[in-house]
Amino acid sequence: GTKDGVEANMGVVLENGIVGIVRSTGPRHALVMSLLHPQSHPSASIKGTNYFGSLRWEPKNTRELLLENVPKHANPVKGDTIETSGYSLIFPKGIPLGTIKAVDNSDAVADTYKITVSLFRDLANLDRVYIVNKSTQKEQETLLQEVKNE
């Protein structure tokens, strides 16, 4: 909680993955929105490229997420590593999440893929997590707000 410096909008991570985002805090506790929540859509990319998309969970398996909106010219391949893209104020770039299990190419007219990602960790079986304290997050948020207000 706040006694340990935890604040809303901090990322919650594992050594191999992300868990969610702190939504609210009390003096000794924090409430975290899991990646398994329907409103959770963090940005992730194919390792070694700048191609990215949004992650979301389909309520089937706590070890798999969908990576959507990856352009077809990215040429994703089964086995490629998926990691955080760094395109958010919450999670830094390069946290490994999992590997590509399958690439859905069934929609021939779509410009993007739906990619099934097999996570390195089962999000329903966690014991220790870490809080991401991005010291520059408040400054970034202020700058973004200034641009929105222009």
Side-chain angles (χ1 to χ4, degrees):
T2 54
K3 285 186 176 184
D4 293 313
V6 178
E7 299 175 8
N9 296 319
M10 287 183 158
V12 182
V13 300
L14 303 160
E15 58 279 349
N16 273 331
I18 61 178
V19 176
I21 300 170
V22 175
R23 299 311 300 158
S24 62
T25 58
R28 295 182 310 272
H29 302 280
L31 180 63
V32 175
M33 181 174 68
S34 165
L35 280 179
L36 304 181
H37 191 281
Q39 292 179 351
S40 181
H41 297 98
S43 178
S45 62
I46 302 168
K47 185 176 182 173
T49 76
N50 289 319
Y51 296 114
F52 66 96
S54 296
L55 281 174
R56 77 174 172 87
W57 181 58
E58 284 192 339
K60 295 178 184 174
N61 182 341
T62 56
R63 291 208 62 145
E64 291 180 358
L65 295 175
L66 280 180
L67 180 60
E68 299 179 305
N69 302 317
V70 174
K72 287 207 173 170
H73 59 271
N75 297 318
V77 176
K78 183 178 176 179
D80 282 350
T81 298
I82 302 300
E83 62 186 10
T84 54
S85 67
Y87 296 141
S88 81
L89 299 177
I90 310 291
F91 301 108
K93 181 178 177 63
I95 298 173
L97 302 172
T99 58
I100 294 177
K101 178 180 180 180
V103 178
D104 182 354
N105 194 16
S106 61
D107 188 350
V109 240
D111 293 338
T112 61
Y113 287 118
K114 279 187 183 177
I115 299 170
T116 303
V117 178
S118 180
L119 298 174
F120 291 131
R121 292 289 304 267
D122 182 352
L123 294 176
N125 186 19
L126 305 174
D127 54 359
R128 288 184 185 248
V129 297
Y130 304 94
I131 305 294
V132 177
N133 183 358
K134 288 181 71 176
S135 59
T136 61
Q137 182 177 354
K138 286 191 190 325
E139 178 184 352
Q140 289 173 307
E141 288 172 352
T142 300
L143 290 172
L144 285 171
Q145 193 59 44
E146 286 175 6
V147 170
K148 285 181 184 178
N149 293 335
E150 288 181 350

